[in-house]
Amino acid sequence: MFSRSLRCEKGSIYPVSAVFFLSALILMSHAVTVYIIQYKTYDSLENLHRHATIQLLKEIAQHKIPE
């Protein structure tokens, strides 16, 4: 029955289009997930660098170390 629907042009368009759209949806979901992970990583590294800089400035101010 499935092979019979593939012989007819009208019947074969629906499964092919469904596979295409599901593949595109999976690919887009993967790309968004990778972007979110990368954004969170860079954001956490930036926060860590900012906190380290603030900590160094506090230590310099407390010890009054000349630059």
Side-chain angles (χ1 to χ4, degrees):
M1 184 171 175
F2 181 70
S3 62
R4 189 175 79 182
S5 67
L6 288 178
R7 290 182 194 158
C8 176
E9 286 184 23
K10 292 180 182 178
S12 66
I13 292 175
Y14 297 115
V16 171
S17 64
V19 167
F20 172 75
F21 286 121
L22 286 175
S23 299
L25 181 65
I26 290 170
L27 184 64
M28 286 175 49
S29 299
H30 176 70
V32 167
T33 303
V34 167
Y35 176 77
I36 289 172
I37 290 170
Q38 184 179 7
Y39 178 80
K40 286 182 180 180
T41 302
Y42 286 145
D43 189 48
S44 64
L45 287 173
E46 183 180 356
N47 287 336
L48 182 68
H49 179 69
R50 185 178 68 225
H51 291 301
T53 303
I54 291 171
Q55 186 66 28
L56 283 173
L57 290 173
K58 284 181 182 178
E59 288 179 9
I60 289 171
Q62 286 175 356
H63 298 298
K64 299 191 189 298
I65 301 172
E67 295 181 7

